[in-house]
Amino acid sequence: MELDDIARLIELFDRSSLTELRYRKADEQVLIRRSPAEPGAVPGPAPSARLGSADPDAAIGGDGASGGASGGASSGAHTQPAPDAGTRGQGRADTEIIASPMVGTFYRSPSLDAEPFVREGQRVEKGHTLCILEAMKLMNQIEAEFPCEILRIFPANAVLVEYGTPLFEVRRA
């Protein structure tokens, strides 16, 4: 099975509500599972940001690989209105949460010594890279799907995030 075929399976899986996908062909097989979201995680199928960015404070990958995103699977991140301020201290009425479209490792920059793609308080335009999610050695860039101000970055650099995990709190510009 080619890497492009696996990337297409991941993309289709991310766009679905399936929790598990098994694909077998001859002597090859692929299993993709969605972990249950943590309590309070934003579940999300309202598209808002595309893959296309990386975490600036971390190196990419634990195998010594670095240097930015490679074109991997592309699937949209999801946004939802942020919870009320009284809920776990997250969100305000006029903000949205950009949630992870997949399970993967969150990176704020393309490499350990590179600047982060975004910082809190920064305004970005549509298409600006927000972070990178690494899944199965593929670097998936998350891009802003609308102009916005980054109010909060939730995950630490180089941590595993689940499907639906809040990544950014933003306000549309």
Side-chain angles (χ1 to χ4, degrees):
M1 177 175 282
E2 297 293 327
L3 194 56
D4 287 340
D5 296 327
I6 295 171
R8 275 187 290 250
L9 281 174
I10 293 170
E11 181 177 0
L12 291 170
F13 182 75
D14 281 343
R15 291 182 182 173
S16 76
S17 61
L18 296 174
T19 56
E20 183 174 298
L21 172 68
R22 286 183 196 266
Y23 178 81
R24 290 184 187 158
K25 183 177 180 182
D27 62 341
E28 299 175 315
Q29 71 176 10
V30 173
L31 171 64
I32 304 172
R33 283 191 187 142
R34 199 180 315 273
S35 298
E38 296 177 22
V42 178
S48 170
R50 293 183 320 231
L51 291 168
S53 170
D55 185 0
D57 299 333
I60 300 297
D63 60 353
S66 65
S70 61
S74 172
S75 68
H78 309 291
T79 61
Q80 284 195 321
D84 292 335
T87 308
R88 296 178 52 146
Q90 299 176 12
R92 296 170 221 149
D94 63 338
T95 65
E96 297 177 56
I97 299 293
I98 297 176
S100 178
M102 64 192 334
V103 174
T105 303
F106 175 86
Y107 293 107
R108 295 186 60 207
S109 65
S111 68
L112 185 57
D113 55 348
E115 289 294 314
F117 289 108
V118 295
R119 296 185 187 280
E120 291 182 358
Q122 181 178 346
R123 294 182 145 243
V124 298
E125 296 300 318
K126 179 179 178 176
H128 186 94
T129 299
L130 301 174
C131 66
I132 288 176
L133 291 177
E134 177 188 7
M136 296 175 54
K137 302 287 182 187
L138 295 174
M139 302 301 168
N140 300 285
Q141 292 186 346
I142 304 295
E143 297 175 351
E145 288 190 353
F146 50 84
C148 61
E149 177 184 1
I150 307 299
L151 301 175
R152 188 167 173 193
I153 302 169
F154 292 105
N157 191 48
V159 300
L160 181 65
V161 296
E162 303 285 335
Y163 172 81
T165 300
L167 301 177
F168 302 94
E169 180 181 4
V170 300
R171 180 181 300 120
R172 288 183 186 253

